[in-house]
């Protein structure tokens, strides 16, 4: 069966392998040998090593844009243990199948896409002669992804499992705090913008100008539509490309200048709320 | 219309998105969905954030080697403002079309290729539900590139504009200074070689051995054909792979050891010219 | 002749070019123009600049998984000198051809694959107008790789040479030292695991618990099958994905915490051997 016939001729690939070593190239070599016609799209390989939460959030952000096909995601500190390896269809569009470890990495994206369809535990690990049991991207996930590209049905990859039983992922959600809203930094992007775990509608009632309580400081921030609207010296709160609120400066790194990191708590409040001195 | 029929089945892609985040992967996912047969070649995604000058110089260096097709370049600090987004054909070879923001990023490469042909302002931005207006690579440039790959004519992408009116890019050129030549460092490559904004013929009259006045120091340098000809302790001036003069050491970083950075002024002069003490 | 007919439609590409500059993109553009149907797989481009030993070891690790086709490897401090540029078939599977400089980079992988078949010195360098002689990836190796993809026979690329006369690569092997075994760190991977130049069978007689003498310290280490078996505070000795012993911690960097770097000597000995104090 050709890759094209099955409707799965693309493998979207995310990992924490980095690109300094040959890991990614070796996985792609395996894919190329087992599913010659499949095209690989690198989502990113620079998830911080072993950071399942960051990998899951990255995959969730990419999810609405993923091509029908296989999504292979590997951030897998438990490789070699008895954590399950799984393949899970997207319920609304079974042409899209996620393959990876069952450790919370896949679920945020699956749920963002509307929920989990059929799921199986992967059964067939390859064993290159002499090699250790520490590289499932090469020995387990890529062979499974290749099979899905060449027309193998999901259920031929291993025994069915209950999709409701998958290990859940990080799902931070905002909580009321005084007159405001406590949330956290989900992600610092390359430009230093700090994405918050809150959408614009959740904070709408707090007004166009808000007070942000960050670790160690308070700042006033202004709701803007684009980075370029942020005046020098001003802190912006922008609806970012994923529909979340992000703390941003114009052409400078908000994370660096405000000392923000993923996981930090941020409280958004009315600009005239009680609660200490404000800067700016 | 197939990608192949239109003669545009390759998208050469340059950006400042980095590869830590999913930006590049998401743009490629959009391309794959809208122009299935197109192949993407990454020029680089590690242009320093918002550095239009560096991006434009990188694109100019790559220009003579680009495959006929679409060149999509995104270094775009003005995203979301009213800066124009454009598609511009290369006059001598209209199979080659540049797509990107009109901020000086595209013009150096276009002019290095012999000049600008037809140009249009891109009109159709996609709006993923709920998302902000900060990711034109995904929402505007990739869809336009995909259309060019699937056979849409340039003029169907938006209203024609005057190609002479595009924002010009950085074009540093050498200027006489005393008996010598003042120029600047265009680029430090991965190996620490410092490319100057001057070709070998411009400096030929200064001889095989020249004096370089760098920020904070003077050194003697010798014209050589290859890096390996540079003796230990010697500074070389090599004609690099783009036909420009570059300050180099053998197997060591000239930038690190001589304290050079992009944008620094360098004066090239005869080795016996007046002007202070010399090292080496 | 189509790329597919010749059985060489994949180019596996390793270099020290990095991805900050446009080098890799330019080489791929040349390949795409000269061998349209060939697919490029990046092994890695982040070999440390000019580090032939590291590049050769990386290529050797990837070797067993490489797709039949062309393997183009460029770590080439001698570019522009009279060092030979070569193409060498794998004796057991001539569909696999290595292309690169003859400086020790290719031989470890070739020998790991069972030995060298036919070999030629590459004869036809392209000379982009005005450009210097410092970019053989673009001007020599990519055109040769493209010819091999489009059906040119190896012997049409240049005069035959004796494959036994290729410059040998690094081949560190363990040596007895007292009751133990002296070896070295081959490679620190992204996760901080330190791969040693010794397989598990070589050290089997030393037992499940061994003493490691590292630069500046001694530690006790335990043989384990997976990273996750390593207890907090414990040092593990794991059979890694390439069948070599590696010094590892669970979810932390052994290299950082134990101060290990590529090339360091490590002595493995029985845990009760003489020789100083032990930690842990």
């Amino acid at each position: 069966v050709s890759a094209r016939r099955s409707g799965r001729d693309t493998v979207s690939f995310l990992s924490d392998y980095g690109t300094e070593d040959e890991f990614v190239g070796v996985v792609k070599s395996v894919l190329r040998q087992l599913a010659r016609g499949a095209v690989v799209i690198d989502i990113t390989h620079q998830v911080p090593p072993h950071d399942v939460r960051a990998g899951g959030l990255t995959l969730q952000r990419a999810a609405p844009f993923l091509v029908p096909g296989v999504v292979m995601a590997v951030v897998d500190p438990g490789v070699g243990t008895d954590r399950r390896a799984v393949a899970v269809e997207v319920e609304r569009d079974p042409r899209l199948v996620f393959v990876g470890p069952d450790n919370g990495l896949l679920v945020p994206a699956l749920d963002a896409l509307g929920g989990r369809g059929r799921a199986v535990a992967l059964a067939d690990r390859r064993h290159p002669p002499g090699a250790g049991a520490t590289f499932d991207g090469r020995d387990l996930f890529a062979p499974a992804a290749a099979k899905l590209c060449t027309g193998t049905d999901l259920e031929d990859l291993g025994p069915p499992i209950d999709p409701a039983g998958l290990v859940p992922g990080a799902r931070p959600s905002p909580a009321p705090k005084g007159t405001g809203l406590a949330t956290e930094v989900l992600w610092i992007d390359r430009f230093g913008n700090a994405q918050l775990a809150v959408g614009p509608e959740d904070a709408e009632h707090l007004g166009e100008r808000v007070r942000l309580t960050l670790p160690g400081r308070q700042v006033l921030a202004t709701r803007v539509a684009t980075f370029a609207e942020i005046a020098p010296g001003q802190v912006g709160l922008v609806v970012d490309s994923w529909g979340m609120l992000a703390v941003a400066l114009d052409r400078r790194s908000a994370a660096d200048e405000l000392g923000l990191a993923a996981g930090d708590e941020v409280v958004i409040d009315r600009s005239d709320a009680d609660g200490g001195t404000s800067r700016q």
Side-chain angles (χ1 to χ4, degrees), chain A:
Chain A
V1 178
S2 79
R4 193 159 289 252
R5 193 176 312 160
S6 74
R8 289 187 187 131
D9 57 1
T10 307
V11 178
S12 300
F13 182 14
L14 171 144
S15 77
D16 66 347
Y17 288 158
T19 52
E20 306 86 1
D21 305 315
E22 74 282 9
F23 302 137
V24 170
V26 163
V27 169
K28 288 180 181 175
S29 298
V30 171
L31 282 171
R32 175 90 175 137
Q33 296 195 64
L34 300 178
R36 174 155 295 268
V39 165
V40 180
I41 293 178
D42 298 301
I43 302 303
T44 180
H45 300 291
Q46 295 179 10
V47 173
H50 306 312
D51 191 339
V52 174
R53 176 186 183 277
L57 290 170
T58 303
L59 203 60
Q60 180 184 0
R61 290 193 306 269
F65 305 98
L66 293 171
V67 185
V70 180
V71 181
M72 183 169 67
V74 191
V75 179
D76 194 12
V79 62
T81 67
D82 59 1
R83 68 93 185 87
R84 292 189 301 188
V86 297
V88 188
E89 286 176 352
V90 171
E91 191 170 27
R92 283 203 308 234
D93 183 358
R95 293 175 307 161
L96 198 53
V97 190
F98 283 69
V99 170
D102 179 23
N103 62 4
L105 180 66
L106 309 180
V107 163
L110 281 162
D111 290 353
L113 292 170
R116 318 161 203 177
R118 294 188 303 166
V120 299
L122 301 177
D124 290 326
R125 186 174 280 100
R126 286 153 60 107
H127 289 283
T134 60
F135 194 177
D136 271 356
R138 179 188 72 192
D139 300 335
L140 178 63
F141 298 121
K147 280 182 186 159
L148 290 167
C149 288
T150 53
T152 301
D153 186 75
L154 186 81
E155 301 204 340
D156 292 330
L157 295 182
I161 58 174
D162 178 3
L166 294 173
V167 173
R171 280 206 101 159
S173 55
K177 184 162 183 176
T179 56
L181 209 55
T183 180
E184 69 173 274
V185 176
L186 286 175
W187 169 52
I188 305 293
D189 76 13
R190 188 190 195 211
F191 302 94
N193 305 306
Q195 186 182 60
L196 302 179
V198 60
E201 64 292 342
D202 295 319
E204 209 152 33
H205 63 288
L206 300 171
E208 285 305 293
R209 197 156 167 72
V210 295
R211 198 182 62 207
L212 303 180
T213 304
L214 316 175
R217 75 179 86 188
Q218 291 193 323
V219 296
L220 290 178
T222 305
R223 303 278 288 257
V224 292
T226 69
F227 300 123
E229 276 177 52
I230 307 168
Q234 203 180 40
V235 177
L237 205 58
V238 67
V239 181
D240 73 7
S241 322
W242 294 265
M244 305 300 277
L245 286 181
V247 182
L249 304 178
D250 185 33
R251 307 192 194 198
R252 292 166 12 243
S253 167
D256 285 353
E257 300 198 14
L258 302 175
L260 286 169
D264 282 354
E265 191 195 62
V266 172
V267 177
I268 312 176
D269 209 338
R270 300 197 328 256
S271 58
D272 59 355
D274 280 349
T277 58
S278 71
R279 194 191 73 135
Q280 193 164 21

